[in-house]
Amino acid sequence: MTDPIRVTVWGENVHEDRDETVRKIYPDTMHETIASALRAKLGQDVVVRTAWLQQDEHGLTEEVLAETDVLTWWGHAAHDQVDDAVVERVQKHVLSGMGLIALHSAHFSKIFIKLMGTTCSLDWRAENDRELIWTVAPGHPIARGIPHPLVIEREEMYGELFDIPQPDELVFISSFTGGEVFRSGCTYRRGQGRVFYFRPGDQEFPTYHHSDVQQVIANAVGWAAPVVPRQLPEVHHRGATEWFDKG
């Protein structure tokens, strides 16, 4: 029997506090909705905690991150309020093997931009659009049990060009009613850590109540969890001349 995956679900918690329309959709907050879905989907295979922007150190202390195998991240209205020291801390833990799942507008989060090294900009249209999420890597663990296509009746549109590095694996692409397409499920390796970006999840729509969306995130948690004990890559220094011959 393996130990449960330790998941921290991080939420910005601005829209839920500020916007009545969002509170009606997510009365328990978006991050708690995602956390509850992971508990329901994965059961005893996970231990899930939540953290949010307004906590001390945004709830992402060194102790919390050391006890986190996979961190999910949702942010939108307050990317600039995330402390740079916390971003550096999260990056260090990703490089040492912690998984990161960036959700929807987390493409513009400081941590995702830092890990990608690009602007992560994109096209968008905030309307009641229908999104079809097409699986393009059916053998990938993140796509396990996901319908083809996954249909979301009401969502915000994201479109190309999405300024990200070439994904290690492209798992999903989305299409919208205006003809737009978008790389909506992308994986990366950064240091020892695995990173997954998943597109849907605008705060004005009940996307995180969608069972198939919840399943994608649950699958991603399993994929992103460390497979070996976490440690920062060793820092190498210049060796002495003829070190090999001398033993």
Side-chain angles (χ1 to χ4, degrees):
M1 180 178 179
T2 59
D3 293 331
I5 300 169
R6 301 168 299 176
V7 183
T8 298
V9 176
W10 191 86
E12 190 179 80
N13 197 38
V14 170
H15 289 288
E16 300 96 311
D17 183 60
R18 184 184 70 188
D19 303 331
E20 181 62 27
T21 56
V22 178
R23 267 198 306 276
K24 288 180 179 179
I25 298 169
Y26 296 106
D28 297 324
T29 72
M30 297 174 73
H31 50 274
E32 184 54 48
T33 299
I34 295 168
S36 295
L38 292 176
R39 295 182 188 109
K41 294 285 185 181
L42 296 173
Q44 295 182 348
D45 291 336
V46 292
V47 174
V48 184
R49 74 201 305 171
T50 58
W52 53 93
L53 178 70
Q54 296 78 15
Q55 293 177 299
D56 290 343
E57 300 183 64
H58 313 317
L60 299 176
T61 63
E62 180 64 35
E63 292 74 19
V64 167
L65 291 175
E67 296 173 353
T68 299
D69 297 315
V70 179
L71 173 67
T72 76
W73 190 286
W74 192 99
H76 176 250
H79 296 313
D80 61 336
Q81 295 180 31
V82 177
D83 189 86
D84 290 341
V86 174
V87 176
E88 294 280 350
R89 186 183 302 152
V90 173
Q91 183 200 32
K92 181 192 75 173
H93 280 274
V94 171
L95 296 179
S96 73
M98 182 183 75
L100 177 70
I101 301 172
L103 299 170
H104 190 60
S105 45
H107 70 92
F108 263 159
S109 64
K110 288 182 178 180
I111 182 57
F112 191 70
I113 290 174
K114 189 176 187 67
L115 289 168
M116 295 298 106
T118 57
T119 69
C120 300
S121 62
L122 47 80
D123 195 11
W124 61 277
R125 183 178 64 252
E127 296 183 8
N128 286 329
D129 211 326
R130 185 187 69 169
E131 179 176 8
L132 302 180
I133 301 177
W134 304 90
T135 299
V136 294
H140 199 283
I142 296 177
R144 186 176 298 122
I146 305 305
H148 179 70
L150 191 167
V151 180
I152 303 176
E153 293 294 344
R154 297 171 57 244
E155 248 294 355
E156 179 182 32
M157 184 279 290
Y158 277 7
E160 297 288 347
L161 177 68
F162 188 16
D163 183 26
I164 52 174
Q166 183 70 21
D168 293 341
E169 301 153 309
L170 182 60
V171 184
F172 303 115
I173 60 172
S174 291
S175 61
F176 298 88
T177 58
E180 301 91 352
V181 296
F182 190 77
R183 289 168 290 169
S184 55
C186 305
T187 74
Y188 297 92
R189 274 76 170 177
R190 291 294 183 267
Q192 305 300 317
R194 294 182 172 189
V195 178
F196 179 60
Y197 173 77
F198 188 44
R199 195 220 74 86
D202 182 78
Q203 69 279 355
E204 295 292 340
F205 306 104
T207 303
Y208 293 123
H209 294 294
H210 193 303
S211 180
D212 293 326
V213 171
Q214 295 174 354
Q215 189 62 57
V216 170
I217 300 171
N219 289 350
V221 164
W223 172 83
V227 295
V228 296
R230 284 166 51 183
Q231 61 179 10
L232 280 171
E234 182 181 352
V235 177
H236 294 280
H237 302 282
R238 183 178 183 273
T241 303
E242 300 177 349
W243 65 270
F244 183 80
D245 292 334
K246 295 178 180 178

